[in-house]
Amino acid sequence: MGKVACANVLSDLYAMGVVQCDNMLLLLGIAKELSNTQRKVVIPMILEGFRDLAREAGVAINGGQTVVNPWMIIGGVATSVCSANEVIFPNQAVVGDKILLTKPLGTQVAVNLHQWMQLGTPSWAIAKDLISADDVIARYNDATISMTTLNLEAAKLMHKHNAHAATDVTGFGILGHSTNLAEFQKDDVDFSIHTLPILAGFSDLCKQLIALGGRNFKLHDGFSSETSGGLLVCLGEEDARRYVEEMRAGGGKAWIIGELCQAPEHPE
């Protein structure tokens, strides 16, 4: 939980191409229902995870705030002082650009399935005939690795391969964040997404859940929430190809998922 929170906080800088964070604050809400014994176990583990990933990113945590809360919350604030050439402003995309994504979709599905299975909920009663417990655990582990992976290398490659715009994919889903980014462009463009990279097995599973009257995560509609998702990056066709090659060569993930086209004219 600490690592996921740290990665998610830093992604707001990385989405702007800012690869050096100058200051980070940690915000912690401790669930009031936790006993003193539970707090002594859980809180140090969460803080350790947050600090470990901050250290990996080369960031110092210089303060923060802790409160008692109805439920567990961890987050933070990341800031940097930088020059204009260290920032990739998210409004320079042009017609013909390719759209990249650097992490697979489906983290919400993975986390919910794992929770359903642990608690034996009515939702699990529907899902258990569609996916094995072993596969739930495997996908949960895949999602955890994805959520705790920094978008730092993805941000560095944005500079190297001349990215024109980017955002991170989180709570609004890939379509929500794509729409926001498209509307922010200087040129009148539309985003056309043709591919959704999804964690293994979840594409068919989500369709089957809907057919059986189970939870609709809206994964294929582009509105499934992601936590600490990847960067959605716009850049030229040849730059996009090189970006994907270099990202994968370094052990990361990246897919070309769409392109920018001219927005249709709207009659006045």
Side-chain angles (χ1 to χ4, degrees):
M1 188 174 176
K3 284 188 174 182
V4 172
C6 183
N8 198 59
V9 170
L10 287 169
S11 279
D12 289 334
L13 290 182
Y14 297 153
M16 295 285 290
V18 178
V19 298
Q20 181 61 50
C21 175
D22 295 327
N23 185 54
M24 195 171 204
L25 304 178
L26 190 157
L27 307 175
L28 179 64
I30 301 174
K32 60 184 180 182
E33 65 184 23
L34 290 180
S35 67
N36 287 334
T37 300
Q38 289 171 325
R39 290 182 186 185
K40 289 177 181 179
V41 175
V42 173
I43 302 306
M45 293 175 67
I46 292 175
L47 296 178
E48 181 182 6
F50 198 100
R51 285 194 298 262
D52 283 350
L53 206 65
R55 190 178 302 113
E56 181 181 325
V59 180
I61 303 169
N62 295 313
Q65 184 176 10
T66 302
V67 298
V68 177
N69 203 55
W71 52 84
M72 237 12 243
I73 291 179
I74 184 167
V77 179
T79 57
S80 185
V81 178
C82 52
S83 59
N85 63 358
E86 295 175 281
V87 180
I88 296 175
F89 292 95
N91 59 356
Q92 307 295 318
V94 297
V95 172
D97 274 359
K98 299 298 182 181
I99 306 170
L100 302 181
L101 183 65
T102 64
K103 289 185 183 181
L105 306 173
T107 56
Q108 182 189 30
V109 182
V111 171
N112 275 257
L113 279 171
H114 191 262
Q115 185 180 50
W116 294 348
M117 185 178 71
Q118 285 186 315
L119 299 177
T121 65
S123 293
W124 177 243
I126 298 173
K128 67 180 182 180
D129 293 327
L130 304 175
I131 185 170
S132 70
D134 287 345
D135 283 342
V136 170
I137 293 171
R139 297 295 81 76
Y140 180 76
N141 290 338
D142 290 342
T144 300
I145 291 170
S146 179
M147 291 186 292
T148 57
T149 298
L150 293 169
N151 282 321
L152 178 56
E153 188 61 29
K156 290 178 180 178
L157 291 180
M158 284 167 55
H159 286 277
K160 184 174 182 180
H161 298 294
N162 310 305
H164 297 149
T167 187
D168 57 333
V169 178
T170 51
F172 296 119
I174 189 169
L175 187 57
H177 289 286
S178 297
T179 300
N180 289 341
L181 190 61
E183 292 175 349
F184 195 63
Q185 299 311 304
K186 289 182 177 180
D187 287 358
D188 196 10
V189 296
D190 275 351
F191 281 33
S192 176
I193 295 177
H194 53 63
T195 302
L196 295 178
I198 294 172
L199 288 168
F202 281 176
S203 180
D204 289 339
L205 174 68
C206 286
K207 294 174 183 178
Q208 292 167 340
L209 278 174
I210 295 170
L212 293 175
R215 171 79 175 272
N216 182 0
F217 288 99
K218 298 185 178 181
L219 185 61
H220 297 92
D221 299 324
F223 290 116
S224 184
S225 298
E226 302 296 328
T227 299
S228 186
L231 298 187
L232 188 79
V233 188
C234 303
L235 63 179
E237 183 173 2
E238 188 58 27
D239 286 320
R241 182 187 63 79
R242 289 194 292 263
Y243 185 111
V244 170
E245 289 178 354
E246 188 165 350
M247 191 71 172
R248 292 178 177 177
K253 300 180 185 297
W255 302 266
I256 294 176
I257 66 166
E259 60 187 4
L260 272 71
C261 53
Q262 183 67 50
E265 293 186 5
H266 299 288
E268 295 182 2

